[in-house]
Amino acid sequence: LYGDVLGAEVLRVAAGSPAYWIGLEPGDVIVSVDNAKVRSPQELVYRVGRAGMEFRVAIVRSGVPGLIRGKH
């Protein structure tokens, strides 16, 4: 839980990492992957691992909801 948002907070993004390439930024809170809620970092890893080749990541950035598309 980060503020009023339940999800997994992005603490850092390494250059060249999958998170970097899809546009995640430190401070983003990931709230779902393909409409499946994410409540912890462990659940995030599980959800991304089960996602198809392309997936949607719902985030909250600076209090504003957003949607990012990801690929395996």
Side-chain angles (χ1 to χ4, degrees):
L1 181 62
Y2 302 94
D4 292 334
V5 180
L6 183 62
E9 183 178 17
V10 177
L11 299 178
R12 63 184 174 280
V13 177
S17 69
Y20 173 86
W21 290 114
I22 68 170
L24 288 172
E25 298 178 3
D28 287 350
V29 179
I30 299 169
V31 295
S32 71
V33 174
D34 280 344
N35 297 318
K37 290 182 182 180
V38 170
R39 294 172 288 242
S40 69
Q42 296 81 6
E43 192 167 28
L44 172 62
V45 171
Y46 174 78
R47 297 281 182 220
V48 170
R50 293 184 48 88
M53 291 300 293
E54 295 185 9
F55 53 93
R56 294 177 316 273
V57 179
I59 65 166
V60 176
R61 178 178 289 160
S62 301
V64 179
L67 190 63
I68 296 177
R69 296 194 181 275
K71 289 184 177 183
H72 280 286

